[in-house]
Amino acid sequence: MHHGLSDKSVPDLRAQHGWNELPEPPRASPLTLLAKQVMNLLVLLLIAAAGISLLLGEIGDFIAIIAVVVLNAILGFVQEWRAETTMQALRKMLSPAAVVVRDGLRRTIPARELLPGDLVILAEGDRVPADADILHEAGLLIDESVLTGESVPVSRAAGESVASGTTVLRGHAEVCVTAIGQQTRFGKIATLTATVSDAQTQLQRELQGLARQLGLLAVGVAGVVAIAALLTDRPLADVFMLGLSLAVAMVPEGLPAVVTVTLALGAGAMARRNALVRNLQAIETLGAASVICTDKTGTLTENKMTARVIRTAEARYEVTGSGYDPAGHIARDGQKIRAEDDPVLARLSQTAQLCSHARLVRRGDQWDMVGEPTEGALATLAAKAWADSVDRDSIVEELPFSSDRKRMSVLERTGAGMVLHCKGAPEQILAICDRIDRAEGPAPMSSAERAEIAAEVEAMAGRGLRTIALAYSPGASEPIVEEGLVFLGLAGLVDPPRPEVRDAVALAARAGIRTVMITGDHPATAMNIAQKLAIPGDRVLTSDDLAGMEDAALAEALRENVVFARVQPEDKLRIVAALQDGGAIVAMTGDGVNDAPALKRADIGLAMGIRGTEVAKDASDLVVLDDNYATIVGAVAEGRRQFENIRKFVRYLLASNTGEVLALLVNLSLGGPLIFLPTQILWMNLITDGVTAISLGLEKPEPGQMRVPPRDPRMHLLGLSALPVILAFGLYTAGASLWLFYSLLDQGVEVARTAAFTGMVLFEKTSVFAFRSLRTPCWRLGWTSNPALWMAFSAMVLAQIAAVYWPPLQTLLHTAPLSLDHWGSILVLALPLLVVPELVKSVRSH
Ligand code: ATP
């Protein structure tokens, strides 16, 4: 028995070898982020404009433009920095762990803490965390393609080595670390792959496209207006400024940044709800999900297994107790019984222990288990039978469990020769048995007995029990051949449904999202659990059924309420594809190596955080940290909220810009002095609008959000339906500020312009309430449910008051103080923007 490194030796080794990590991929540094704010066409144009102002001696304008540019850069920088740090925190949460033995104790530590000499346990689906020599292995199959580019898996035996960065496709092993970090082969050739991607999402691309189109339109309009202005003999510098103001007014500069920030903050919010987004696109796609394909064990159920019944050739046993506490007992015909009094039970317990890697551990007065729950239940069962303990060192070979084989075997060396022990799904075990165990020893298994066992399996599964069969074969030899075994018996395990899942399934159903169970478990167990959770299941299909089905028949079957059971991981890919062909947006869970293709194919691949292998996590878009189905539904709700919020502020920003542009165009066509000065437009667009828009991104979910069907994924951010709303707001705000301007012109152009400018800012701020929901009136949302919005609103109104009364800003923005009368008019004009949309929404929502 190896004890691994001792904790005492760790500090010295650490000093000598450092950490098991590779240099971080280059991150956006604060400086590059800041540079990004300045290096865009608009800002460069503004800087040019500032230069022209300086040449013309307009020092005020020069300072104002530069101040706005700087302020805008700071705002952008702060937001993007927040986004970047959120994403970095998410990356940290995904950093891998390793199972080591130190001081003889098995524990899980962050992989970066590994040291040469560490004893590491590798399991199926693990990424090998460091270069290491193999001490023991069972069926170890390694994918070395990251190192060699060779995609054919290789088997590795004791004495050989495994390399950091490769993955365990099958089997498990005990290995001793030889090199860490940059000393590994992988470290020498590779830079670490980032685990959270911030590749552009479809929304971001769509928005960039929109911004580009508007930009082109802006250049066109600004050009036409400039030519028209030139013909009216305005000074060249004025014309340039005018063109620039129009362009600034038309382009929603803040949009792409606001979306990035909102999505990153959204990812942070999801992580707090146990859903770790690996790429931002997942948030958008989740909002449109129409089918969630979920496995059963651990996602819908607790994955805490306890044996309830045992059935052998001659007897039926009841098992008491709960969880992994060995305090229960086994009763035969109502009488407590121990292994020493029942040879079949003794042999069954022996096999159960030898076929299990799980260990029962006591934490305080609670019993828990380290390992796989099915095996933990069998270990507990053996303890309740008071079975003799087994010597695991007597195991000479193992064929590990896999979801496609659905059984596992170990070969034990005993004084009386080799004994093969096997456990797995009953069909898989029955298929390799020709004898059955009795008190006096193995006897041939009759077909009646075989049928009886099959019927018993159905009966147990029908009660929702998970069935495991056990078998053994004395007189076996190396290597393992799984045939001619002696059937020992069946164990029925309970794995209770998670209590919160029933509601989550119902919530999903109300939101038009179908829940499809896809499990490796028995059809009757699957149907029983489906029923308990109210997952509709009129029909159950197994891997065998699928094999005999054409794609068209599968598509037809998927129109019904179907549950998939006893499937192979490969079947998941076909099911996802068939659902997608039917127009569904599919979220699919997975945990094993073989689930990776289906996770990649699904619109949203969901890897399990606890049970999931590194391979599955790598293939996924989102990691469900607590493995819980309810978390998935929560993430969908969050995805919907994010998408809705983005739609809200896109419309809000466009409505604001439309108002400014219309006011300017009408003002120009009427002749007369400019209604807004370029610096004022910059102030409105780059400062006040962006801040309020971000706060719209923080709106809480709307009450009815999970009562409507998923959105059509082809739906654009801005459908035609958005146009009337945007135009209505634009027309009103433009009309109102034009009215203010022209009716106050006789009090001096500075006053009139200040009133129009302040009016426009306040109109835009007031409209924000209308955009809080496109359907639900504010009184139903709760006026105070979004404190950020009020903070943004108050801060921007105060900023505008400062713009009007604070001398330095007065100089920069060319404003004049307003009187109470002016404020009165502005407020009266702003009122309809608050009242009318609420009335319309109230009437329509009835
Ligand atoms: P899900 O796909 O919902 O996670 P599952 O855990 O039942 O369900 P698999 O892990 O593929 O799916 O297991 C399939 C069957 O294999 C189980 O029903 C059980 O009979 C058997 N089985 C599960 N775990 C083991 C194991 N560790 N050793 C032997 N047999 C097992």
Side-chain angles (χ1 to χ4, degrees):
M1 172 76 188
H2 296 273
H3 287 267
L5 291 179
S6 71
D7 277 329
K8 272 207 298 285
S9 64
V10 167
D12 281 349
L13 285 169
R14 176 79 61 226
Q16 198 183 334
H17 297 281
W19 299 94
N20 179 31
E21 60 193 3
L22 299 180
E24 302 260 310
R27 291 254 159 80
S29 75
L31 219 61
T32 44
L33 267 189
L34 197 62
K36 200 171 132 198
Q37 310 303 320
V38 184
M39 293 307 291
N40 76 49
L41 185 66
L42 183 86
V43 171
L44 294 179
L45 270 177
L46 287 176
I47 293 174
I52 292 177
S53 311
L54 193 63
L55 285 180
L56 294 175
E58 300 274 354
I59 305 292
D61 278 356
F62 168 75
I63 298 176
I65 297 176
I66 293 296
V68 166
V69 167
V70 169
L71 210 58
N72 176 52
I74 292 175
L75 277 178
F77 171 75
V78 169
Q79 289 160 11
E80 288 211 21
W81 185 243
R82 252 183 99 183
E84 178 64 25
T85 41
T86 311
M87 293 305 282
Q88 274 183 29
L90 296 190
R91 282 187 195 109
K92 278 223 175 71
M93 289 173 77
L94 269 181
S95 50
V99 178
V100 295
V101 177
R102 281 190 185 167
D103 279 329
L105 292 177
R106 188 193 268 237
R107 54 188 114 149
T108 305
I109 61 170
R112 76 183 284 268
E113 292 180 11
L114 285 180
L115 285 163
D118 254 326
L119 201 63
V120 174
I121 312 290
L122 293 177
E124 183 175 305
D126 279 354
R127 177 136 9 80
V128 177
D131 285 0
D133 288 339
I134 303 170
L135 304 178
H136 304 286
E137 57 84 32
L140 192 65
L141 201 63
I142 303 277
D143 173 0
E144 295 188 337
S145 54
V146 271
L147 278 186
T148 59
E150 178 57 67
S151 59
V152 180
V154 286
S155 52
R156 291 268 175 251
E160 294 184 295
S161 60
V162 284
S164 176
T166 58
T167 41
V168 181
L169 284 182
R170 188 163 287 184
H172 46 90
E174 204 174 274
V175 300
C176 180
V177 174
T178 51
I180 60 168
Q182 277 190 290
Q183 300 311 314
T184 61
R185 276 170 65 196
F186 186 63
K188 287 180 186 147
I189 58 166
T191 49
L192 195 67
T193 46
T195 44
V196 176
S197 118
D198 29 25
Q200 275 207 331
T201 72
Q202 191 186 331
L203 244 180
Q204 284 170 318
R205 279 195 299 275
E206 204 174 309
L207 278 173
Q208 254 179 8
L210 182 74
R212 208 171 305 127
Q213 283 164 4
L214 282 170
L216 282 178
L217 190 70
V219 171
V221 173
V224 171
V225 170
I227 292 168
L230 269 181
L231 296 178
T232 58
D233 286 345
R234 294 197 187 220
L236 204 60
D238 275 10
V239 171
F240 174 73
M241 284 298 187
L242 188 68
L244 189 63
S245 323
L246 253 178
V248 172
M250 280 186 91
V251 181
E253 298 81 9
L255 258 188
V258 180
V259 174
T260 310
V261 174
T262 306
L263 287 177
L265 294 185
M270 281 197 180
R272 283 191 291 281
R273 297 174 67 173
N274 282 327
L276 194 63
V277 170
R278 289 186 69 245
N279 81 50
L280 289 179
Q281 175 67 48
I283 303 185
E284 276 164 51
T285 319
L286 264 175
S290 55
V291 179
I292 303 176
C293 293
T294 171
D295 55 6
K296 170 182 71 70
T297 312
T299 316
L300 300 174
T301 64
E302 305 243 20
N303 205 14
K304 289 200 185 98
M305 314 238 179
T306 315
R308 277 277 159 269
V309 285
I310 307 170
R311 173 68 200 268
T312 63
E314 293 166 334
R316 173 192 298 280
Y317 308 77
E318 302 291 326
V319 187
T320 65
S322 66
Y324 301 106
D325 188 340
H329 64 261
I330 299 180
R332 178 178 169 172
D333 302 327
Q335 297 293 314
K336 277 191 198 175
I337 194 161
R338 291 186 174 188
E340 61 191 22
D341 305 320
D342 185 327
V344 178
L345 182 62
R347 285 192 284 272
L348 184 139
S349 307
Q350 203 74 3
T351 297
Q353 289 181 85
L354 284 162
C355 284
S356 161
H357 293 271
R359 245 173 351 101
L360 304 184
V361 287
R362 199 187 176 126
R363 300 204 169 96
D365 51 3
Q366 291 279 324
W367 281 88
D368 201 357
M369 178 271 320
V370 185
E372 218 265 311
T374 307
E375 299 192 342
L378 294 178
T380 316
L381 178 73
K384 288 173 182 168
W386 293 83
D388 291 337
S389 57
V390 295
D391 174 13
R392 293 198 53 83
D393 283 345
S394 63
I395 294 175
V396 291
E397 194 190 342
E398 175 175 342
L399 276 188
F401 173 78
S402 74
S403 286
D404 35 13
R405 262 167 33 86
K406 295 189 176 32
R407 68 175 178 232
M408 59 92 73
S409 302
V410 296
L411 196 61
E412 179 199 19
R413 189 194 306 278
T414 69
M418 299 281 195
V419 183
L420 180 65
H421 301 269
C422 197
K423 80 169 190 312
E427 319 85 275
Q428 299 300 327
I429 297 296
L430 274 178
I432 52 171
C433 286
D434 54 14
R435 287 169 294 165
I436 190 159
D437 201 38
R438 300 180 175 281
E440 58 277 9
M445 180 163 28
S446 67
S447 48
E449 275 169 326
R450 200 175 275 277
E452 206 178 307
I453 295 167
E456 182 69 42
V457 171
E458 289 297 325
M460 282 189 189
R463 288 165 55 196
L465 294 174
R466 179 177 175 83
T467 47
I468 299 285
L470 297 145
Y472 80 118
S473 172
S477 58
E478 255 182 301
I480 293 179
V481 182
E482 291 171 323
E483 58 183 37
L485 276 82
V486 183
F487 188 85
L488 278 164
L490 291 174
L493 321 181
V494 281
D495 177 17
R498 288 177 182 266
E500 61 279 22
V501 168
R502 205 183 147 92
D503 284 349
V505 170
L507 182 67
R510 271 202 303 278
I513 303 164
R514 197 174 151 192
T515 304
V516 177
M517 185 199 284
I518 303 181
T519 177
D521 215 335
H522 191 281
T525 317
M527 284 304 258
N528 180 286
I529 299 287
Q531 216 166 32
K532 285 185 180 141
L533 294 171
I535 295 173
D538 305 330
R539 177 173 181 198
V540 66
L541 287 180
T542 65
S543 199
D544 291 344
D545 298 333
L546 284 173
M549 259 180 169
E550 296 285 324
D551 285 350
L554 176 58
E556 186 61 37
L558 278 167
R559 271 189 270 276
E560 293 169 47
N561 290 321
V562 34
V563 166
F564 294 91
R566 280 288 190 254
V567 291
Q568 304 284 358
E570 294 73 32
D571 296 326
K572 288 188 174 180
L573 190 62
R574 233 184 119 200
I575 300 170
V576 174
L579 283 164
Q580 284 173 334
D581 288 346
I585 298 292
V586 185
M588 162 74 86
T589 67
D591 46 21
V593 178
N594 299 341
D595 290 337
L599 290 179
K600 284 202 183 121
R601 170 73 197 243
D603 299 282
I604 310 129
L606 306 163
M608 295 297 126
I610 305 170
R611 277 178 303 129
T613 57
E614 287 297 322
V615 176
K617 287 179 192 167
D618 270 356
S620 71
D621 302 300
L622 188 126
V623 180
V624 183
L625 293 177
D626 59 358
D627 289 15
N628 192 338
Y629 175 83
T631 300
I632 303 173
V633 178
V636 170
E638 185 60 27
R640 286 193 176 189
R641 179 180 81 95
Q642 302 281 327
F643 188 83
E644 279 299 304
N645 285 355
I646 291 174
R647 283 204 329 156
K648 291 170 194 174
F649 63 63
V650 168
R651 286 168 196 224
Y652 167 69
L653 280 178
L654 289 183
S656 300
N657 286 18
T658 308
E660 292 161 23
V661 174
L662 286 178
L664 268 171
L665 288 178
V666 173
N667 166 245
L668 283 175
S669 61
L670 289 178
L674 264 184
I675 179 167
F676 307 126
L677 294 177
T679 46
Q680 294 171 345
I681 295 182
L682 288 179
W683 168 267
M684 287 194 268
N685 257 20
L686 296 185
I687 312 293
T688 65
D689 284 355
V691 174
T692 4
I694 293 243
S695 69
L696 269 184
L698 297 173
E699 274 296 324
K700 300 248 159 25
E702 285 184 34
Q705 183 196 268
M706 288 297 272
R707 258 176 263 134
V708 286
R711 67 167 204 272
D712 181 346
R714 286 161 311 190
M715 181 171 95
H716 286 291
L717 201 57
L718 279 174
L720 276 184
S721 63
L723 233 55
V725 177
I726 293 176
L727 268 182
F729 276 87
L731 280 171
Y732 182 83
T733 52
S737 35
L738 282 165
W739 184 82
L740 280 171
F741 184 64
Y742 284 103
S743 67
L744 295 176
L745 253 187
D746 52 358
Q747 297 180 18
V749 69
E750 287 246 309
V751 172
R753 192 177 282 142
T754 308
F757 165 48
T758 307
M760 189 52 111
V761 170
L762 286 199
F763 300 153
E764 287 172 356
K765 295 314 106 184
T766 315
S767 333
V768 81
F769 293 98
F771 287 90
R772 286 186 62 200
S773 163
L774 308 177
R775 292 188 292 274
T776 319
C778 282
W779 51 267
R780 286 246 293 276
L781 294 175
W783 282 100
T784 51
S785 67
N786 183 0
L789 187 89
W790 281 102
M791 263 153 48
F793 177 82
S794 327
M796 292 307 108
V797 170
L798 284 177
Q800 187 60 25
I801 293 176
V804 176
Y805 296 107
W806 191 42
L809 276 183
Q810 280 180 338
T811 326
L812 293 181
L813 293 168
H814 303 284
T815 53
L818 294 179
S819 70
L820 269 185
D821 274 357
H822 299 139
W823 283 106
S825 313
I826 291 173
L827 290 184
V828 168
L829 285 170
L831 204 60
L833 285 167
L834 188 64
V835 177
V836 174
E838 295 310 308
L839 282 178
V840 171
K841 283 191 270 181
S842 299
V843 171
R844 284 176 63 179
S845 67
H846 264 88

